[in-house]
Short mmCIF file of all heavy atoms in Angstrom, two decimals:
data_model
loop_
_atom_site.label_atom_id
_atom_site.label_comp_id
_atom_site.label_asym_id
_atom_site.label_seq_id
_atom_site.Cartn_x
_atom_site.Cartn_y
_atom_site.Cartn_z
N LYS A 524 79.14 51.41 58.86
CA LYS A 524 78.37 52.21 57.90
C LYS A 524 77.27 51.37 57.29
O LYS A 524 77.31 50.17 57.26
CB LYS A 524 79.29 52.76 56.78
CG LYS A 524 79.83 51.65 55.84
CD LYS A 524 80.48 52.27 54.58
CE LYS A 524 79.50 52.91 53.68
NZ LYS A 524 78.56 51.97 53.03
N THR A 525 76.26 52.08 56.78
CA THR A 525 75.17 51.43 56.03
C THR A 525 75.07 52.05 54.68
O THR A 525 75.74 53.05 54.36
CB THR A 525 73.85 51.54 56.79
OG1 THR A 525 72.87 50.78 56.11
CG2 THR A 525 73.38 52.99 56.88
N GLY A 526 74.22 51.48 53.82
CA GLY A 526 74.10 51.96 52.44
C GLY A 526 73.17 53.14 52.30
O GLY A 526 72.63 53.66 53.26
N PRO A 527 72.96 53.59 51.04
CA PRO A 527 72.17 54.80 50.79
C PRO A 527 70.69 54.69 51.19
O PRO A 527 70.06 55.71 51.50
CB PRO A 527 72.32 55.01 49.29
CG PRO A 527 72.72 53.67 48.74
CD PRO A 527 73.52 53.03 49.82
N LYS A 528 70.15 53.46 51.19
CA LYS A 528 68.73 53.35 51.56
C LYS A 528 68.51 53.26 53.07
O LYS A 528 67.37 53.34 53.55
CB LYS A 528 68.15 52.06 50.91
CG LYS A 528 68.12 52.12 49.40
CD LYS A 528 67.52 50.86 48.79
CE LYS A 528 67.50 50.90 47.29
NZ LYS A 528 66.94 49.64 46.72
N HIS A 529 69.61 53.07 53.85
CA HIS A 529 69.58 52.99 55.30
C HIS A 529 68.81 51.78 55.79
O HIS A 529 68.46 51.67 56.98
CB HIS A 529 68.97 54.26 55.91
CG HIS A 529 69.71 55.52 55.58
ND1 HIS A 529 69.23 56.76 55.79
CD2 HIS A 529 70.94 55.71 54.97
CE1 HIS A 529 70.10 57.68 55.38
NE2 HIS A 529 71.14 57.06 54.85
N THR A 530 68.57 50.83 54.91
CA THR A 530 67.90 49.60 55.27
C THR A 530 68.85 48.41 55.28
O THR A 530 68.52 47.35 55.76
CB THR A 530 66.73 49.28 54.34
OG1 THR A 530 67.21 49.22 52.97
CG2 THR A 530 65.63 50.37 54.43
N GLU A 531 70.06 48.61 54.65
CA GLU A 531 71.03 47.56 54.64
C GLU A 531 71.68 47.45 56.00
O GLU A 531 71.69 48.39 56.78
CB GLU A 531 72.12 47.89 53.62
CG GLU A 531 71.61 48.15 52.20
CD GLU A 531 71.33 49.65 51.96
OE1 GLU A 531 71.07 50.34 52.92
OE2 GLU A 531 71.41 50.07 50.78
N GLY A 532 72.21 46.28 56.29
CA GLY A 532 72.89 46.11 57.57
C GLY A 532 74.15 46.93 57.63
O GLY A 532 74.79 47.21 56.62
N PHE A 533 74.55 47.33 58.85
CA PHE A 533 75.79 48.10 59.03
C PHE A 533 76.98 47.16 58.89
O PHE A 533 76.94 46.03 59.40
CB PHE A 533 75.80 48.77 60.40
CG PHE A 533 75.03 50.07 60.44
CD1 PHE A 533 73.65 50.09 60.38
CD2 PHE A 533 75.72 51.28 60.60
CE1 PHE A 533 72.96 51.27 60.47
CE2 PHE A 533 75.02 52.48 60.64
CZ PHE A 533 73.65 52.47 60.58
N LYS A 534 78.02 47.63 58.24
CA LYS A 534 79.25 46.84 58.09
C LYS A 534 80.43 47.61 58.65
O LYS A 534 80.54 48.83 58.52
CB LYS A 534 79.50 46.54 56.59
CG LYS A 534 78.44 45.64 55.98
CD LYS A 534 78.76 45.36 54.52
CE LYS A 534 77.73 44.46 53.89
NZ LYS A 534 78.00 44.19 52.44
N LYS A 535 81.31 46.89 59.32
CA LYS A 535 82.53 47.47 59.90
C LYS A 535 83.53 47.76 58.76
O LYS A 535 83.85 46.89 57.99
CB LYS A 535 83.13 46.52 60.94
CG LYS A 535 84.38 47.05 61.62
CD LYS A 535 84.91 46.03 62.60
CE LYS A 535 86.20 46.47 63.28
NZ LYS A 535 86.73 45.44 64.23
N ARG A 536 83.99 49.01 58.72
CA ARG A 536 84.93 49.43 57.69
C ARG A 536 86.04 50.30 58.32
O ARG A 536 85.81 50.96 59.33
CB ARG A 536 84.23 50.20 56.58
CG ARG A 536 83.28 49.38 55.77
CD ARG A 536 84.02 48.38 54.87
NE ARG A 536 83.14 47.60 54.04
CZ ARG A 536 82.81 46.35 54.23
NH1 ARG A 536 83.26 45.71 55.36
NH2 ARG A 536 82.02 45.67 53.40
N TRP A 537 87.20 50.31 57.70
CA TRP A 537 88.29 51.18 58.10
C TRP A 537 88.15 52.52 57.33
O TRP A 537 88.07 52.54 56.13
CB TRP A 537 89.64 50.55 57.76
CG TRP A 537 90.81 51.45 58.07
CD1 TRP A 537 91.47 52.31 57.22
CD2 TRP A 537 91.46 51.60 59.35
NE1 TRP A 537 92.49 52.96 57.88
CE2 TRP A 537 92.52 52.54 59.17
CE3 TRP A 537 91.29 51.02 60.59
CZ2 TRP A 537 93.37 52.93 60.22
CZ3 TRP A 537 92.13 51.39 61.64
CH2 TRP A 537 93.12 52.35 61.43
N PHE A 538 88.09 53.61 58.08
CA PHE A 538 87.91 54.92 57.48
C PHE A 538 89.17 55.76 57.58
O PHE A 538 89.86 55.75 58.59
CB PHE A 538 86.78 55.67 58.18
CG PHE A 538 85.39 55.20 57.79
CD1 PHE A 538 84.86 54.04 58.41
CD2 PHE A 538 84.64 55.85 56.84
CE1 PHE A 538 83.60 53.60 58.03
CE2 PHE A 538 83.39 55.41 56.47
CZ PHE A 538 82.87 54.29 57.07
N THR A 539 89.46 56.47 56.49
CA THR A 539 90.57 57.40 56.42
C THR A 539 90.05 58.76 55.96
O THR A 539 89.38 58.81 54.90
CB THR A 539 91.67 56.93 55.44
OG1 THR A 539 92.20 55.68 55.91
CG2 THR A 539 92.73 57.97 55.29
N MET A 540 90.28 59.75 56.76
CA MET A 540 89.85 61.13 56.39
C MET A 540 91.06 61.93 55.93
O MET A 540 91.95 62.32 56.70
CB MET A 540 89.21 61.82 57.58
CG MET A 540 88.53 63.14 57.23
SD MET A 540 87.61 63.82 58.59
CE MET A 540 86.98 65.32 57.83
N ASP A 541 91.15 62.11 54.61
CA ASP A 541 92.24 62.84 53.99
C ASP A 541 91.66 64.20 53.50
O ASP A 541 91.16 64.33 52.40
CB ASP A 541 92.80 62.05 52.80
CG ASP A 541 94.02 62.73 52.20
OD1 ASP A 541 94.49 63.71 52.71
OD2 ASP A 541 94.48 62.21 51.14
N ASP A 542 91.75 65.18 54.41
CA ASP A 542 91.15 66.46 54.16
C ASP A 542 89.63 66.29 53.87
O ASP A 542 88.93 65.79 54.75
CB ASP A 542 91.85 67.21 53.03
CG ASP A 542 91.62 68.70 53.06
OD1 ASP A 542 91.71 69.29 54.14
OD2 ASP A 542 91.25 69.30 52.02
N ARG A 543 89.16 66.65 52.70
CA ARG A 543 87.72 66.55 52.44
C ARG A 543 87.30 65.18 51.88
O ARG A 543 86.12 64.95 51.61
CB ARG A 543 87.27 67.62 51.46
CG ARG A 543 87.37 69.05 52.07
CD ARG A 543 86.61 70.07 51.24
NE ARG A 543 86.78 71.39 51.75
CZ ARG A 543 86.05 71.98 52.72
NH1 ARG A 543 85.09 71.25 53.29
NH2 ARG A 543 86.27 73.19 53.12
N ARG A 544 88.24 64.27 51.70
CA ARG A 544 87.90 62.94 51.22
C ARG A 544 87.80 61.98 52.39
O ARG A 544 88.77 61.74 53.12
CB ARG A 544 89.01 62.42 50.28
CG ARG A 544 89.01 63.03 48.89
CD ARG A 544 90.17 62.48 48.10
NE ARG A 544 90.20 63.02 46.75
CZ ARG A 544 89.70 62.41 45.67
NH1 ARG A 544 89.11 61.24 45.79
NH2 ARG A 544 89.77 62.97 44.47
N LEU A 545 86.65 61.41 52.60
CA LEU A 545 86.44 60.38 53.61
C LEU A 545 86.33 59.06 52.88
O LEU A 545 85.36 58.80 52.16
CB LEU A 545 85.17 60.65 54.45
CG LEU A 545 84.83 59.59 55.46
CD1 LEU A 545 85.90 59.55 56.57
CD2 LEU A 545 83.46 59.82 56.08
N MET A 546 87.36 58.23 53.01
CA MET A 546 87.42 56.96 52.29
C MET A 546 87.19 55.79 53.26
O MET A 546 87.53 55.91 54.43
CB MET A 546 88.79 56.82 51.61
CG MET A 546 89.11 57.92 50.62
SD MET A 546 90.87 57.95 50.18
CE MET A 546 91.53 58.81 51.62
N TYR A 547 86.57 54.74 52.73
CA TYR A 547 86.39 53.56 53.59
C TYR A 547 86.90 52.32 52.87
O TYR A 547 86.78 52.17 51.65
CB TYR A 547 84.97 53.40 54.07
CG TYR A 547 83.89 53.36 53.00
CD1 TYR A 547 83.48 52.16 52.45
CD2 TYR A 547 83.27 54.52 52.59
CE1 TYR A 547 82.48 52.10 51.49
CE2 TYR A 547 82.27 54.50 51.62
CZ TYR A 547 81.88 53.29 51.09
OH TYR A 547 80.91 53.26 50.12
N PHE A 548 87.54 51.42 53.67
CA PHE A 548 88.17 50.24 53.19
C PHE A 548 87.70 49.03 54.00
O PHE A 548 87.36 49.17 55.16
CB PHE A 548 89.73 50.36 53.35
CG PHE A 548 90.34 51.59 52.74
CD1 PHE A 548 90.31 52.80 53.42
CD2 PHE A 548 90.91 51.55 51.49
CE1 PHE A 548 90.86 53.93 52.89
CE2 PHE A 548 91.49 52.70 50.95
CZ PHE A 548 91.45 53.90 51.63
N LYS A 549 87.77 47.86 53.39
CA LYS A 549 87.45 46.66 54.14
C LYS A 549 88.58 46.35 55.10
O LYS A 549 88.36 45.91 56.23
CB LYS A 549 87.21 45.47 53.18
CG LYS A 549 86.69 44.23 53.88
CD LYS A 549 86.33 43.14 52.87
CE LYS A 549 85.76 41.94 53.61
NZ LYS A 549 85.36 40.85 52.65
N ASP A 550 89.83 46.64 54.68
CA ASP A 550 91.02 46.38 55.48
C ASP A 550 91.87 47.62 55.47
O ASP A 550 91.94 48.32 54.44
CB ASP A 550 91.78 45.19 54.93
CG ASP A 550 92.99 44.82 55.79
OD1 ASP A 550 92.82 44.01 56.71
OD2 ASP A 550 94.09 45.39 55.54
N PRO A 551 92.53 47.96 56.56
CA PRO A 551 93.37 49.20 56.57
C PRO A 551 94.46 49.23 55.54
O PRO A 551 94.88 50.33 55.15
CB PRO A 551 93.95 49.17 58.01
CG PRO A 551 93.02 48.36 58.83
CD PRO A 551 92.48 47.35 57.90
N LEU A 552 94.91 48.06 55.04
CA LEU A 552 95.97 48.01 54.06
C LEU A 552 95.49 47.74 52.64
O LEU A 552 96.26 47.32 51.78
CB LEU A 552 97.02 46.97 54.47
CG LEU A 552 97.74 47.30 55.79
CD1 LEU A 552 98.76 46.17 56.12
CD2 LEU A 552 98.46 48.63 55.73
N ASP A 553 94.24 47.97 52.39
CA ASP A 553 93.69 47.80 51.02
C ASP A 553 94.30 48.83 50.08
O ASP A 553 94.55 49.98 50.49
CB ASP A 553 92.17 47.92 51.00
CG ASP A 553 91.49 46.66 51.49
OD1 ASP A 553 92.17 45.63 51.62
OD2 ASP A 553 90.27 46.74 51.74
N ALA A 554 94.50 48.43 48.86
CA ALA A 554 95.06 49.36 47.86
C ALA A 554 94.04 50.43 47.41
O ALA A 554 94.42 51.56 47.14
CB ALA A 554 95.60 48.59 46.66
N TYR A 555 92.80 50.00 47.32
CA TYR A 555 91.73 50.92 46.86
C TYR A 555 90.64 51.01 47.89
O TYR A 555 90.34 50.02 48.59
CB TYR A 555 91.16 50.44 45.53
CG TYR A 555 92.07 50.54 44.34
CD1 TYR A 555 92.79 49.40 43.92
CD2 TYR A 555 92.24 51.74 43.66
CE1 TYR A 555 93.63 49.48 42.82
CE2 TYR A 555 93.09 51.81 42.56
CZ TYR A 555 93.77 50.69 42.15
OH TYR A 555 94.63 50.76 41.08
N ALA A 556 90.01 52.17 47.95
CA ALA A 556 88.88 52.35 48.82
C ALA A 556 87.64 51.70 48.23
O ALA A 556 87.47 51.67 47.00
CB ALA A 556 88.63 53.85 49.07
N ARG A 557 86.76 51.22 49.10
CA ARG A 557 85.47 50.72 48.64
C ARG A 557 84.56 51.84 48.20
O ARG A 557 83.63 51.64 47.39
CB ARG A 557 84.80 49.91 49.77
CG ARG A 557 85.48 48.60 50.13
CD ARG A 557 85.43 47.63 48.94
NE ARG A 557 86.04 46.35 49.26
CZ ARG A 557 85.36 45.25 49.66
NH1 ARG A 557 84.05 45.33 49.88
NH2 ARG A 557 85.98 44.12 49.88
N GLY A 558 84.81 53.01 48.76
CA GLY A 558 83.99 54.18 48.41
C GLY A 558 84.57 55.41 49.06
O GLY A 558 85.42 55.35 49.94
#
Side-chain angles (χ1 to χ4, degrees):
K524 68 168 291 293
T525 186
K528 296 181 180 179
H529 301 168
T530 56
E531 306 92 333
F533 278 71
K534 295 181 179 179
K535 182 181 176 181
R536 294 289 182 257
W537 177 265
F538 284 82
T539 296
M540 189 173 180
D541 185 6
D542 200 48
R543 293 195 185 274
R544 285 177 179 264
L545 177 66
M546 300 165 281
Y547 55 92
F548 307 82
K549 188 173 182 179
D550 184 90
L552 296 179
D553 282 348
Y555 291 98
R557 292 294 182 96

